[in-house]
Amino acid sequence: MRVLDRRTLNRAALDRQLLLKRSDMSVRDAVALLVAIQAQENNVPYYCLWTRLSAFQQQELTDLMNDRSVVRGSILRGTQHMALADDYRWLRPLVQECLTRGRQAAFGRVSQGWDLDELAIEARKLLLDGQVLTRPQLARALAERWPDRDVQALGWSAQAVLSVVHPPPSGTWNVGGATPFALAEEWIGEPLYADVPARLIRRYLAAFGPASVKDFQMWSGLRRMDAAFEELRPTLRVYKDENGVELFDLPGLPIPDDGPAPVRFLPGFDNLVLAYADRTRLMTDEHRKIVCVGAITRPTLLVDGRVHGLWTLKHDRKAGSATLTIERFAPLPDEPAVEEEAARLLEFTAPGADHDVRITPWPG
């Protein structure tokens, strides 16, 4: 059984994630490849695609949201993601257990004794026939039915037990505000349906493999997946990492040779950073503690495929300026390349503004 070292796993992940060379594939195909793009913050999916695609423009993703080809809703790990509408139809039912578990952890005490099936029925009635409500609006409407219940728990519970999406302009480039809810099957125009974990496992390995069972569980939010991987074992290729952990992959997918990796800026909550339980293929354990803080995953700078620092971007529209600040963990091996990629990021974010790149040591 072939043993894959960390650098080999790093290059494989970068290759699958379109981070060794920007791709000229369509935005739709890229969203399909990535399975689901983290979308807790409205601009994150745009940065995620910009750093992977050769000529990506913000309007391309916005157009896919407006024509309902791409939808935004709670999927992997029970958090906000964008996915193809065709994929959401089977992904959302598959991860229902994860959403239920998260709801119970957050609101189980205040909602003890609630009939969640009844809650789903009442919430669905409020959203039927194309009605769109924000979470607070839906919660207040449900509170008219149950005035003695915690209003916040009503809103979040409804989101967990009912398959909803968040129609644009919510979640589009630079658009914030309250999150609207619409019934997923009405917005998409097709019913949702159940599928087996094997489908998601194969999609995950195509985008992130080789990877372990624990890696998949961390990325998806699903639990107890050993049996599902065992069932697939005869159809998968199996490796080991340097610690003897089994790694699974789809047969026929290449493991690239060692070579240089370009500078890349990953947004907060990027797919790649959240795709593994063992993230040493990307960063040291010490750096992981800085990048992943509680529920927050910070924007990272990759140099030669490894996390070398954090970045923040401030766009002052009134002043017509944009500043990209990089906090490096150690001296950068190729600072001119970092500055060049930073200039591209500023042009994507704030074309026409005065741009400034600042590189400073990590204060910690």
Side-chain angles (χ1 to χ4, degrees), residues 125-133 181-183 186:
K125 290 178 182 177
L126 293 167
L127 295 172
L128 275 173
D129 301 324
Q131 182 68 39
V132 176
L133 299 173
F181 288 8
L183 288 176
E186 287 193 347

Side-chain angles (χ1 to χ4, degrees), residues 291 299-302 306-311 326-329 332:
V291 172
T300 53
L301 167 69
L302 298 185
R306 304 279 301 174
V307 171
H308 272 66
L310 307 177
W311 61 273
I326 299 164
E327 295 176 320
R328 56 174 177 78
F329 295 148
L332 298 173

Side-chain angles (χ1 to χ4, degrees), residues 25-199:
M25 72 171 54
S26 70
V27 175
R28 183 186 177 91
D29 287 346
V31 175
L33 170 67
L34 298 173
V35 186
I37 303 174
Q38 192 85 27
Q40 285 173 274
E41 297 178 3
N42 55 312
N43 284 359
V44 162
Y46 293 85
Y47 285 127
C48 176
L49 292 167
W50 169 81
T51 203
R52 289 166 166 86
L53 301 180
S54 57
F56 174 69
Q57 299 294 320
Q58 289 99 333
Q59 193 60 42
E60 295 179 276
L61 179 57
T62 301
D63 286 345
L64 289 174
M65 294 177 67
N66 285 329
D67 72 16
R68 310 190 186 194
S69 299
V70 167
V71 297
R72 176 170 164 256
S74 298
I75 317 176
L76 303 178
R77 302 180 300 281
T79 59
Q80 296 294 308
H81 283 75
M82 283 186 186
L84 294 184
D86 289 343
D87 285 335
Y88 179 95
R89 293 175 58 207
W90 60 269
L91 274 171
R92 179 58 175 76
L94 186 60
V95 300
Q96 179 58 54
E97 179 186 348
C98 180
L99 274 81
T100 302
R101 190 168 64 242
R103 192 216 71 86
Q104 184 65 21
F107 300 103
R109 180 173 298 179
V110 299
S111 65
Q112 189 172 3
W114 290 12
D115 186 330
L116 296 180
D117 291 335
E118 184 183 19
L119 175 64
I121 291 170
E122 293 301 317
R124 180 180 176 82
K125 290 178 182 177
L126 293 167
L127 295 172
L128 275 173
D129 301 324
Q131 182 68 39
V132 176
L133 299 173
T134 65
R135 185 187 297 110
Q137 289 172 334
L138 180 59
R140 288 194 295 269
L142 289 169
E144 294 180 8
R145 169 72 171 77
W146 292 290
D148 59 331
R149 293 185 177 181
D150 182 284
V151 176
Q152 186 180 27
L154 281 171
W156 283 99
S157 295
Q159 181 177 352
V161 300
L162 199 62
S163 296
V164 294
V165 295
H166 311 308
S170 175
T172 58
W173 180 256
N174 283 338
V175 174
T179 303
F181 288 8
L183 288 176
E185 67 268 28
E186 287 193 347
W187 180 260
I188 296 171
E190 296 286 347
L192 278 59
Y193 60 96
D195 211 327
V196 294
R199 183 175 184 179

Side-chain angles (χ1 to χ4, degrees), residues 210-257:
S212 70
V213 177
K214 287 184 178 179
D215 290 332
F216 172 77
Q217 291 177 161
M218 176 65 72
W219 171 81
S220 66
L222 300 178
R223 294 181 173 180
R224 300 177 295 278
M225 288 291 106
D226 295 88
F229 273 82
E230 282 303 315
E231 186 175 347
L232 285 172
R233 182 185 290 271
T235 69
L236 299 178
R237 188 166 185 181
V238 184
Y239 303 95
K240 284 190 176 181
D241 69 11
E242 294 173 306
N243 297 317
V245 176
E246 280 194 323
L247 305 175
F248 296 88
D249 203 7
L250 299 182
L253 292 185
I255 304 295
D257 295 331

